[in-house]
Amino acid sequence: MAASKSYQRFRSRDTVIRIEAHRHPGRSGPVIIWSDIQACFPGVVRIQDQDIYIPFERDEDLYRIKPHGINYRPDTILDVIYRDDKALSKGKSYAKSKPVQSTPPTSGNTKQAAFPPVPIRIEIPSSVASSPAELSSGLQSTNNDHGDSTPDESGNIQSTPEEEITDPRETNSEDPPNIAEPQTDDQEQDPYVSAEQSTSGSHDISQEPTSQDEFLEAMEMDEGSDHSGVASPPDSEIIDTSITTIVPTSAQDTSDCTFSVEEIMQYRIKDILARRYTWLESPCPKLFTILPVKDFDISRLPTLSMFRVHFLCDCGGVTKIDGEQDMSPPHLPAREEPYVIKSDNIIAKYGTYMMAVLEMMFYMKLVTLDKRTVERIRYAVTFLLTKRIQSSIRFHDRKINSLDEVPVIEPLDNTSLKELYTQHLVDAEQPLGGFRAFQTDQGDIRWVCILHLSEYAPNTVFERPTRFLGHPSSLRGAYWASLGIFRVIVKDRERAKDLYQLIQSLVSVPLMSFFLDWDVLPQDVVDLAEAVSLFPTSCVMINVREDPIDNTDPWGLGHPYNPVVKAAFNNPRIKAFSLEKRKLDISDEFGSFERSFYLGSVIVKFKRDLKTPSKTMFAALVTDMDEALGTLRASLEGLDRFSELTLEVGFWDQATIKFAADESDYELVNTEDWFSSDARHMEAIELRAYSSTDTVLLDAKCLTDVMINFKFPADGPKIRNMIKNNTRLKKLELSITEADDACQIFEYFKALLANHPSLDSFHISQEHFHARTSVYTWEGVADRAKMTLGIECSAEDRIGTMLQKFASCLTTLMIYGLGVQEALILEKVLRPKKGPFKLRSIFLLNVCALSVEAMDSLKKIVQRDTAPEFSISGSVDTKEIGPLADFLIAVAPKVTRLHLYGQHVREIYMELETRMPESAEMDRLTELLISGPLKVESVESEMKWLRSILKKPVPLTTLEIKSADLGHDGWMMLVKEVNFTGLSDLIISPARPIKIKVLEAIVDAVPENSSLGAVVVTCEEMPQARREEFREILLKKMKNGSGSNKGLVMINGFIR
């Protein structure tokens, strides 16, 4: 029998119509498809349930489902709202009113800001600003509810005929709006949506937002609503918000204080208003604050969970399309977009800043000050005051006599803004839906609302990237309007020239990325360099085909693109630049300049230093460090323009030079002579020279960290001179061959190390042909009494002499292999009468490879309780497990970590089972890891050892069982016996997935506020919604499951 159909009722201007609801494949309940609603009600812009806005349904990642639809509400008649309804014609007064021209400031402060702000005159209602204490006065309990609105997630225009480049946000819309329709004053059109569509070939432009998104307004009271109690002052007064002067007015309340609250507030925020940010510094708008949710209960005591973060449009001081200077103040966007707070310390870090923004909103009338809005601001101010956040009113009450008594609030730097955006807000990793990144003529970035963007840049500017993508030679690309990013793959040089002209015209787009997908010729490099010198873009990312490195290049660069690099470096508008071999995945390379040990596909990248804009952080992949250094000094007119310079030949050959902050000029001299005159400008050099052992950088006198290939005794004098000449050297690592003696080399440098003023760490790494590299690490070498030694050794190492000389310094011993003679010496030198000892940790990392004689010596050492931490791990690859079992039982009371894996894990496990109870006397054990084909036939007879380990007084912190098959009863028994109180990591990845009942038992067994940091489970198949439900329950129970330090919960490899 066919399933019965469901219908949703809609009210359209006193007419009720039913529309069929459909079962959506991605949702559990029925939805009404948006295109059906549009077909039935032409001109519809949104759906409401009385005063509640009905948003589109969203999936588990909070993206709108496709096709778009709203939730089915069977017992409700939903209202259809049209574009011409009166509710849509409210607001936007800040954009329509003409600002009053201010008089020039007359302050004596003549300091010129980097980006001088435009004086703004704001109308402040006298009834609102008449009392300096009104903002923190008693809160009124009258509620005036407003409906919520949703953010605009759109702004993306892209063309992706192939799947190699995709937009990380939603890009397809089932029903694009009629974007060619004339825009009325009451509409807020997204200027990133072009007025034309190109449909030639495979070029497909998917446009968002839909009409519902595009014209969605903040809910406001109808004209017939009761306005009693709402502030509607008839009078107003003018104050000047210029940062260089404060203009007092006659109506301002000064009480007994020399300054009004407004004057104090303006003085405190003057640097905030003046601060401008580049694209590198600004992941979000600079002005933000907290406000309570719209339906907050004013009678409740405020808590952080009742508040959301709101960003303000960073408008003002920008030349508009008509040539006039925009005098608009910052403001909340018409569509309110709150962000959930996920970090409790947001108030401690940003409270003062957010208090200042709240005061700006109130006194500078950055929002419509109706009764409910004033209540929300007061409620937020009250909450911040309870957290001991200072307000301007507090300074006013102190009756200050000079503004010098008031601390000026520091603008946030890029680190603080990025931390706010990525660590303190939920779901803020996606671009801010209600704002657009706009680059001004001065090169700074403003995050402005859609309305102001339409005043700053014509729609035609944003149509050009879309049209460019419609060409056969540039089909693959995307335009990310919300971030201001345009990227494209260009197939030939003629189309590339068109691209260069396009980029030069897109002054307001901050980032350009393009791939030149052909074999570049010398003339192409010339054309590219000429174009790059004229680019107005803040960030440029260029990808080229991967060509073989030219090791014969006399300039030491190995590539022909130095003219391009020079042009970009000398272009002041470019704040960040990257030239890479073919790399199609575009990510935020410029959010931070974290130097890696290996540049990989990067040929050259640089970023202007945020602290010293005249300096640049520069990194290049080269073939010869010395030649490349000379080439860069000559082509870039000296090294004084660098704050940090990284030259990399490969993973093992890299130099990072950090320069002083002064502006001293460099003379262009030969590379061999430069240290005699210019090295004083270098602060520090970190050098890795595995193959570049003859680099001129070894002659510098500011080396701080050196790793170098060393041949003894031939290189001895060179390294001794280097140590003597570098008084700030902190770490030295020598890489030696298998034939050299590490102990002898240390003795050679011992006296020099002991007398060095700063050298604290001395490393020797010794390569072996058939074994892993051994490492010897001395710390605190200046004081023999405090010196420590850590050893990582293999069976090939002959460390007997070293053990005899440095046994008292030994702190860590990591044994991958140990000869019989070395084991005997180790046991002898660690006898109690030889002490005291500093040994803290012994790690047997391949215990099964040790000989019986070596095990006997180690057994004696461990049984003396020489080291508090004793870890055993190894692959059980033989059935001859008798000696291993004897060793494990002998040292069982001392073991803190046990990790057994390999094909014969079952044999050693069953041996431990049969030798109970001695084998289970591991009272110190905190980490148990078993991996291999361990099959339990009987829970009662074959899990005694494991159950005993789980029941011991000291709980495990780590339990990991992989590739084992304990059976359903065995897994249930294990969950029952595990002490989850102190467990930090639980990893169960069996040979056969566990049943859902076992997972349910795990979830139920985890206590509230558990110390678990990671839960990884492989379970039988289940719906994604069920899997996510388990994950959310576990995260809520874990101490580290929320906040800035999220826990890890992986079920069947699923992490959202």
Side-chain angles (χ1 to χ4, degrees):
M1 183 177 65
S4 60
K5 295 183 179 181
S6 301
Y7 294 89
Q8 178 67 58
R9 291 182 296 172
F10 292 87
R11 180 188 296 110
S12 173
R13 293 168 179 167
D14 299 329
T15 301
V16 176
I17 298 177
R18 296 190 304 162
I19 299 179
E20 182 180 354
H22 299 275
R23 176 87 46 189
H24 197 283
R27 309 303 298 161
S28 59
V31 297
I32 301 90
I33 305 303
W34 177 247
S35 59
D36 293 345
I37 299 174
Q38 288 180 311
C40 187
F41 308 112
V44 58
V45 294
R46 69 171 178 266
I47 302 299
Q48 292 180 198
D49 180 1
Q50 298 184 28
D51 63 345
I52 300 175
Y53 161 70
I54 308 300
F56 286 149
E57 281 287 273
R58 297 175 182 267
D59 60 18
E60 290 79 2
D61 296 323
L62 297 183
Y63 289 127
R64 293 168 176 170
I65 62 173
K66 300 297 180 66
H68 293 324
I70 64 174
N71 187 32
Y72 171 59
R73 304 189 179 204
D75 300 325
T76 305
I77 300 178
L78 301 180
D79 295 314
V80 179
I81 307 301
Y82 295 91
R83 186 173 302 155
D84 57 353
D85 287 348
K86 293 180 179 179
L88 290 175
S89 61
K90 307 274 187 179
K92 299 188 188 67
S93 59
Y94 64 87
K96 296 179 181 179
S97 60
K98 291 288 185 178
V100 181
Q101 297 297 325
S102 62
T103 57
T106 57
S107 171
N109 183 3
T110 59
K111 183 177 180 179
Q112 182 67 29
F115 295 92
V118 177
I120 304 171
R121 300 184 70 82
I122 309 299
E123 295 188 356
I124 296 186
S126 57
S127 62
V128 173
S130 59
S131 174
E134 183 179 351
L135 189 56
S136 60
S137 64
L139 304 178
Q140 303 182 36
S141 60
T142 304
N143 290 331
N144 182 14
D145 294 333
H146 297 266
D148 289 331
S149 59
T150 60
D152 176 9
E153 295 181 325
S154 63
N156 298 332
I157 299 176
Q158 71 171 21
S159 172
T160 55
E162 301 185 29
E163 295 296 328
E164 294 188 31
I165 296 183
T166 59
D167 192 336
R169 294 182 53 78
E170 300 177 53
T171 57
N172 297 321
S173 174
E174 182 189 13
D175 297 292
N178 182 7
I179 55 178
E181 182 175 342
Q183 181 178 349
T184 66
D185 290 340
D186 296 323
Q187 297 175 7
E188 195 166 307
Q189 177 77 24
D190 189 339
Y192 287 98
V193 180
S194 63
E196 299 179 6
Q197 286 190 7
S198 173
T199 58
S200 59
S202 60
H203 182 53
D204 174 43
I205 304 175
S206 299
Q207 297 171 327
E208 283 202 14
T210 64
S211 57
Q212 184 183 29
D213 305 323
E214 192 173 333
F215 299 104
L216 188 61
E217 303 284 351
M219 295 293 191
E220 299 191 63
M221 294 179 296
D222 294 333
E223 291 182 355
S225 299
D226 181 11
H227 289 247
S228 60
V230 178
S232 180
D235 300 322
S236 64
E237 53 183 292
I238 305 299
I239 64 172
D240 191 343
T241 62
S242 168
I243 65 159
T244 56
T245 184
I246 299 173
V247 182
T249 60
S250 58
Q252 289 176 335
D253 175 27
T254 59
S255 299
D256 294 330
C257 182
T258 306
F259 303 96
S260 68
V261 178
E262 294 90 332
E263 291 173 324
I264 296 173
M265 178 268 297
Q266 292 178 67
Y267 180 78
R268 296 180 73 209
I269 66 173
K270 62 177 184 176
D271 288 351
I272 296 177
L273 294 179
R275 180 70 159 89
R276 291 300 176 203
Y277 297 85
T278 64
W279 191 85
L280 296 174
E281 302 172 289
S282 177
C284 59
K286 68 176 183 179
L287 296 180
F288 59 91
T289 191
I290 57 171
L291 287 172
V293 294
K294 284 192 173 182
D295 59 351
F296 79 103
D297 185 352
I298 199 170
S299 64
R300 288 183 55 191
L301 187 68
T303 61
L304 186 60
S305 62
M306 301 168 62
F307 292 88
R308 302 291 183 265
V309 169
H310 294 254
F311 291 97
L312 276 67
C313 174
D314 190 15
C315 51
V318 178
T319 302
K320 298 191 291 186
I321 300 173
D322 57 12
E324 295 184 4
Q325 194 80 354
D326 180 29
M327 307 291 286
S328 303
H331 64 91
L332 287 174
R335 292 191 289 270
E336 198 167 306
E337 295 194 13
Y339 282 83
V340 178
I341 301 169
K342 69 179 180 181
S343 175
D344 295 339
N345 64 349
I346 188 173
I347 302 300
K349 186 170 181 63
Y350 304 99
T352 301
Y353 195 91
M354 295 190 294
M355 174 71 86
V357 176
L358 283 171
E359 293 177 336
M360 290 170 57
M361 292 170 60
F362 186 81
Y363 289 109
M364 295 171 59
K365 197 185 176 185
L366 303 186
V367 292
T368 302
L369 292 175
D370 56 50
K371 182 177 182 180
R372 188 58 172 174
T373 301
V374 172
E375 287 177 346
R376 293 178 73 193
I377 295 176
R378 285 175 174 170
Y379 199 74
V381 169
T382 300
F383 173 70
L384 292 178
L385 290 174
T386 63
K387 301 298 181 181
R388 300 183 181 275
I389 303 300
Q390 289 279 17
S391 69
S392 299
I393 296 174
R394 291 289 185 261
F395 291 105
H396 178 273
D397 292 343
R398 294 177 188 175
K399 301 177 181 179
I400 61 173
N401 295 316
S402 171
L403 289 177
D404 293 336
E405 302 176 33
V406 179
V408 176
I409 301 174
E410 293 290 332
L412 297 178
D413 58 17
N414 67 300
T415 302
S416 297
L417 281 174
K418 185 176 181 180
E419 181 180 334
L420 167 80
Y421 188 61
T422 59
Q423 299 182 22
H424 294 276
L425 304 182
V426 174
D427 296 332
E429 290 82 2
Q430 297 295 336
L432 296 170
F435 296 93
R436 299 289 181 266
F438 175 80
Q439 180 175 266
T440 68
D441 293 339
Q442 292 75 30
D444 59 300
I445 296 300
R446 307 289 192 89
W447 291 89
V448 297
C449 65
I450 296 174
L451 179 61
H452 274 112
L453 185 63
S454 65
E455 296 179 350
Y456 296 162
N459 285 359
T460 54
V461 172
F462 307 104
E463 295 170 9
R464 296 172 191 167
T466 304
R467 291 173 180 160
F468 187 85
L469 296 176
H471 193 278
S473 296
S474 56
L475 276 177
R476 299 186 309 182
Y479 179 42
W480 297 357
S482 56
L483 287 175
I485 298 176
F486 176 59
R487 66 179 187 181
V488 64
I489 299 176
V490 181
K491 306 294 291 186
D492 57 60
R493 54 182 53 88
E494 294 303 321
R495 192 58 177 164
K497 293 179 181 179
D498 296 336
L499 173 66
Y500 302 156
Q501 295 179 359
L502 173 66
I503 294 176
Q504 292 174 27
S505 68
L506 299 179
V507 179
S508 58
V509 181
L511 190 148
M512 295 289 176
S513 174
F514 53 90
F515 174 40
L516 305 181
D517 192 12
W518 75 86
D519 294 329
V520 174
L521 299 177
Q523 185 59 43
D524 298 325
V525 174
V526 173
D527 295 340
L528 178 59
E530 182 179 355
V532 167
S533 67
L534 301 175
F535 281 177
T537 310
S538 292
C539 303
V540 178
M541 302 177 69
I542 303 174
N543 299 306
V544 296
R545 283 187 177 178
E546 186 168 4
D547 296 323
I549 295 294
D550 184 7
N551 291 311
T552 64
D553 177 23
W555 307 110
L557 300 177
H559 63 81
Y561 298 102
N562 193 47
V564 179
V565 176
K566 180 179 180 180
F569 191 85
N570 291 327
N571 184 344
R573 291 295 296 265
I574 297 179
K575 307 302 181 184
F577 176 83
S578 176
L579 177 63
E580 304 181 25
K581 291 171 283 188
R582 182 171 184 149
K583 184 180 180 183
L584 296 182
D585 294 331
I586 306 300
S587 59
D588 183 10
E589 295 283 349
F590 303 115
S592 61
F593 191 89
E594 297 179 359
R595 179 177 57 83
S596 63
F597 279 115
Y598 190 55
L599 292 175
S601 63
V602 175
I603 300 175
V604 170
K605 68 176 181 180
F606 68 76
K607 190 191 79 167
R608 309 296 182 188
D609 196 310
L610 298 179
K611 295 181 179 179
T612 311
S614 60
K615 300 283 188 175
T616 302
M617 304 170 70
F618 190 99
L621 194 66
V622 300
T623 56
D624 185 286
M625 285 194 290
D626 293 349
E627 293 296 338
L629 190 60
T631 299
L632 292 174
R633 293 178 69 245
S635 62
L636 302 181
E637 300 176 0
L639 299 178
D640 58 308
R641 301 168 68 181
F642 294 119
S643 62
E644 182 174 302
L645 173 62
T646 298
L647 302 176
E648 185 178 288
V649 179
F651 180 82
W652 294 107
D653 291 84
Q654 183 188 74
T656 297
I657 308 171
K658 296 180 180 179
F659 294 85
D662 62 79
E663 300 293 336
S664 302
D665 293 330
Y666 286 77
E667 297 179 6
L668 294 180
V669 297
N670 293 330
T671 303
E672 291 78 5
D673 301 327
W674 70 324
F675 287 112
S676 60
S677 59
D678 295 330
R680 64 183 183 275
H681 300 296
M682 299 182 183
E683 286 188 332
I685 299 178
E686 297 178 10
L687 178 65
R688 296 167 63 91
Y690 186 80
S691 58
S692 306
T693 56
D694 58 347
T695 174
V696 69
L697 294 173
L698 287 173
D699 296 332
K701 293 181 173 58
C702 56
L703 293 167
T704 58
D705 189 333
V706 176
M707 191 286 290
I708 189 169
N709 199 13
F710 179 77
K711 295 180 180 180
F712 186 75
D715 293 336
K718 177 175 65 175
I719 300 303
R720 289 181 66 89
N721 289 333
M722 185 267 294
I723 296 174
K724 292 178 181 179
N725 293 333
N726 288 273
T727 57
R728 289 179 287 170
L729 185 65
K730 296 180 179 179
K731 178 183 176 182
L732 174 61
E733 179 177 349
L734 304 180
S735 178
I736 64 175
T737 64
E738 189 173 25
D740 290 329
D741 186 342
C743 185
Q744 183 182 5
I745 293 174
F746 179 83
E747 291 294 326
Y748 177 80
F749 291 107
K750 180 175 64 175
L752 192 59
L753 298 177
N755 295 313
H756 197 279
S758 63
L759 187 58
D760 185 68
S761 182
F762 182 72
H763 300 234
I764 295 178
S765 59
Q766 186 171 29
E767 295 185 356
H768 297 288
F769 188 74
H770 294 293
R772 61 179 295 117
T773 300
S774 301
V775 180
Y776 310 94
T777 303
W778 286 267
E779 301 287 350
V781 294
D783 188 346
R784 184 61 182 263
K786 298 180 180 179
M787 185 174 69
T788 62
L789 170 63
I791 296 178
E792 298 179 31
C793 64
S794 300
E796 288 79 2
D797 291 314
R798 299 296 174 256
I799 59 174
T801 304
M802 181 177 295
L803 293 172
Q804 290 174 336
K805 288 187 176 182
F806 299 103
S808 61
C809 301
L810 192 61
T811 57
T812 303
L813 187 59
M814 302 183 69
I815 300 174
Y816 293 92
L818 191 65
V820 175
Q821 188 64 30
E822 276 64 31
L824 290 171
I825 295 174
L826 180 63
E827 187 275 327
K828 182 178 179 179
V829 299
L830 291 179
R831 290 174 181 173
K833 65 179 181 180
K834 302 286 186 178
F837 302 107
K838 300 176 182 177
L839 188 62
R840 302 294 301 171
S841 304
I842 298 177
F843 300 91
L844 303 184
L845 300 174
N846 192 10
V847 64
C848 299
L850 295 174
S851 64
V852 175
E853 294 81 4
M855 285 186 184
D856 289 339
S857 296
L858 290 169
K859 185 193 313 179
K860 296 176 183 179
I861 296 172
V862 174
Q863 287 176 337
R864 298 179 194 137
D865 207 13
T866 307
E869 184 179 5
F870 180 49
S871 172
I872 299 177
S873 64
S875 175
V876 187
D877 296 326
T878 176
K879 293 184 178 180
E880 300 297 327
I881 46 83
L884 175 59
D886 292 340
F887 178 74
L888 290 176
I889 293 171
V891 300
K894 310 299 181 182
V895 177
T896 57
R897 183 179 187 272
L898 180 61
H899 182 195
L900 298 175
Y901 53 94
Q903 291 299 313
H904 297 284
V905 164
R906 175 175 168 78
E907 282 79 357
I908 187 64
Y909 176 84
M910 295 308 299
E911 184 69 17
L912 294 174
E913 281 280 350
T914 60
R915 299 174 69 169
M916 290 276 291
E918 293 85 356
S919 61
E921 294 177 355
M922 298 184 177
D923 294 338
R924 290 186 179 181
L925 187 69
T926 58
E927 298 182 49
L928 177 61
L929 303 91
I930 299 176
S931 179
L934 171 60
K935 183 175 178 60
V936 174
E937 303 291 349
S938 172
V939 174
E940 296 299 327
S941 62
E942 296 184 2
M943 289 189 65
K944 294 179 181 179
W945 180 82
L946 183 56
R947 292 173 64 187
S948 180
I949 292 296
L950 297 176
K951 287 181 178 181
K952 65 187 185 66
V954 179
L956 295 177
T957 59
T958 299
L959 177 61
E960 178 180 311
I961 301 179
K962 293 182 177 180
S963 303
D965 184 5
L966 305 186
H968 178 69
D969 294 339
W971 292 116
M972 293 297 289
M973 180 70 72
L974 180 140
V975 174
K976 181 180 179 181
E977 301 293 352
V978 170
N979 185 346
F980 284 91
T981 304
L983 198 63
S984 297
D985 299 295
L986 176 64
I987 301 174
I988 298 178
S989 181
R992 292 187 303 169
I994 63 175
K995 294 183 180 299
I996 295 179
K997 287 186 176 181
V998 179
L999 179 58
E1000 291 175 344
I1002 293 174
V1003 174
D1004 293 339
V1006 174
E1008 297 293 335
N1009 294 321
S1010 167
S1011 59
L1012 273 171
V1015 177
V1016 180
V1017 178
T1018 301
C1019 186
E1020 63 185 1
E1021 287 299 322
M1022 70 182 78
Q1024 179 174 323
R1026 180 69 167 149
R1027 192 167 48 180
E1028 181 65 13
E1029 180 183 354
F1030 283 126
R1031 179 179 179 274
E1032 292 299 330
I1033 294 174
L1034 286 171
L1035 284 174
K1036 289 179 180 178
K1037 289 187 174 184
M1038 296 160 61
K1039 290 180 181 178
N1040 295 332
S1042 60
S1044 59
N1045 185 21
K1046 278 194 173 182
L1048 169 67
V1049 176
M1050 181 187 295
I1051 301 175
N1052 295 351
F1054 174 73
I1055 302 179
R1056 186 174 68 84

